[in-house]
Amino acid sequence: MNYQWYPGHMTKAKRMMQENISLIDLVIELVDARIPLSSRNPDIDELGKNKSRLILLNKSDLADPGANKLWMAYFRERGFHVLEVNAKTGQGLRQIQPKVQEACREKIERDRKRGIKNRPVRAIVVGIPNVGKSTFINSFAGKACTKTGNKPGVTKGKQWIRLNKDLELLDTPGILWPKFENEDVGKRLAMIGSMNDEILQMTELAAELLAYLLAHYRQALLARYQVEEDAEEITPLQMLSLICENRKCYKKGQEPDFEKAAALLMDDFRSGRIGRITLETCEEP
Ligand code: G4P
């Protein structure tokens, strides 16, 4: 299957990021906890190389709790500050402030030595489309905070959201483009719904997802579609037929409607109804 390349605008987005990153102390990078590597663009390592970094494993409510712990350790071992969050409900967001202080300790210390007092840490939120940047900014900043408007020395039009005396957030997130390093990355992005479904062959994608789920989350999958514990091997296509049966997906004349079952499966998976599932492990990124 051909996975879509994000068209155009990449250079423009990158230029804007470069410009914005020069204004800030801290990069808050959102990744999708279900695919923490495939939802990253490693260009951010180069773009934000002299900045502090806080990685947020967002949508952690949809991901496998055990895998979340392993991914936290993975990023920590690589020198990043990292937290598990749910931008939608706000879970985990309270831990951010202390983490920011920890991540920016050197900068705060440097300011103090130079006699600069009360200069808040300035942060930008970045991530690939659909990772939850806007949701995060809204929940984190909430309604209480004020926009500080233009400041001297800041590119005209940029808005800073003042969260408190220690932290300001650029109100426009930076968009990173997913990096389609190999077909697996494209596939995983498609599975979580980060691509335009219209261009995808849903039954093929569903079969790929089913192969993964049968191998890694078999019990949860069988339970969801009320399939009796299997005595023999079930292939992905057989499983799709079983979903057709369970959900009464038939065309006229009792012919199974695989497309309908595939769409239903993808929807169930994306909204967490099959369970908390992570699609990539630290060992085989
Ligand atoms: P973006 O700015 O990075 O493009 O992403 P955005 O905030 O628009 O979020 C994309 C979708 O992800 C939204 O769903 C949002 O509600 C959902 N989302 C964001 N963070 C989380 C999270 O931590 N957990 C879960 N479960 N979902 C999250 P949507 O379908 O577009 O809208 P809605 O149905 O939620 O209204």
Side-chain angles (χ1 to χ4, degrees):
M1 195 178 337
N2 246 334
Y3 296 98
Q4 184 193 23
W5 285 84
Y6 279 84
H9 314 309
M10 289 196 209
T11 326
K12 194 172 159 223
K14 203 164 170 178
R15 207 179 313 122
M16 244 174 76
M17 278 266 274
Q18 268 159 346
E19 202 183 286
N20 286 340
I21 278 181
S22 67
L23 306 170
I24 56 98
D25 310 299
L26 172 76
V27 175
I28 301 180
E29 181 190 359
L30 265 71
V31 301
D32 190 304
R34 294 165 297 174
I35 50 166
L37 289 188
S38 298
S39 60
R40 282 194 88 208
N41 181 332
D43 287 352
I44 192 63
D45 292 340
E46 181 57 31
L47 274 166
K49 66 171 179 272
N50 298 318
K51 310 291 177 179
S52 304
R53 180 93 55 87
L54 171 58
I55 293 183
L56 300 181
L57 286 180
N58 192 38
K59 307 200 187 184
S60 60
D61 55 308
L62 298 173
D64 186 328
N68 286 346
K69 295 282 165 287
L70 294 173
W71 280 112
M72 294 269 286
Y74 172 94
F75 286 117
R76 236 183 272 122
E77 274 161 24
R78 280 152 185 81
F80 298 111
H81 296 269
V82 54
L83 285 173
E84 227 178 278
V85 298
N86 175 347
K88 211 166 160 174
T89 61
Q91 205 170 358
L93 301 191
R94 250 185 298 161
Q95 299 168 62
I96 292 182
Q97 189 66 37
K99 267 285 178 224
V100 167
Q101 296 294 307
E102 194 184 315
C104 297
R105 193 171 290 147
E106 273 181 33
K107 175 242 171 240
I108 295 166
E109 192 54 25
R110 218 169 35 238
D111 277 0
R112 200 183 58 79
K113 281 193 183 139
R114 288 184 190 151
I116 305 169
K117 278 192 207 141
N118 304 329
R119 192 167 84 72
V121 166
R122 284 185 181 160
I124 186 175
V125 174
V126 307
I128 66 165
N130 211 38
V131 79
K133 299 179 293 301
S134 313
T135 311
F136 169 73
I137 293 177
N138 286 336
S139 320
F140 186 51
K143 290 189 183 79
C145 62
T146 48
K147 292 198 173 182
T148 59
N150 295 334
K151 285 191 171 184
V154 171
T155 317
K156 201 161 179 268
K158 293 219 186 309
Q159 294 271 329
W160 294 89
I161 305 171
R162 171 156 246 184
L163 287 129
N164 53 47
K165 68 177 182 29
D166 297 320
L167 183 60
E168 285 185 1
L169 205 62
L170 199 59
D171 77 340
T172 352
I175 299 171
L176 292 167
W177 301 97
K179 208 161 185 145
F180 297 85
E181 272 164 343
N182 56 51
E183 197 174 300
D184 283 341
V185 172
K187 213 184 287 173
R188 289 170 188 155
L189 286 163
M191 284 176 186
I192 65 160
S194 273
M195 280 187 199
N196 184 353
D197 279 347
E198 280 159 31
I199 61 133
L200 299 168
Q201 285 139 15
M202 288 304 261
T203 42
E204 206 179 306
L205 189 65
E208 296 272 6
L209 178 64
L210 286 171
Y212 182 85
L213 296 179
L214 283 167
H216 297 91
Y217 294 93
R218 198 178 187 87
Q219 294 308 322
L221 178 69
L222 299 185
R224 174 75 196 160
Y225 300 105
Q226 294 158 319
V227 175
E228 293 284 303
E229 184 44 76
D230 50 320
E232 54 197 88
E233 275 303 300
I234 303 180
T235 66
L237 284 179
Q238 283 165 343
M239 187 65 213
L240 200 56
S241 294
L242 291 167
I243 298 175
C244 284
E245 265 175 47
N246 180 253
R247 291 301 145 97
K248 316 261 178 296
C249 303
Y250 297 112
K251 294 180 184 167
K252 274 185 226 140
Q254 290 304 89
E255 191 193 328
D257 189 341
F258 289 114
E259 268 171 35
K260 192 168 168 195
L264 200 139
L265 168 81
M266 296 316 298
D267 195 48
D268 277 353
F269 164 69
R270 289 169 184 172
S271 36
R273 287 191 291 269
I274 300 174
R276 296 180 62 176
I277 289 161
T278 298
L279 294 178
E280 80 194 350
T281 58
C282 306
E283 297 85 52
E284 32 119 32

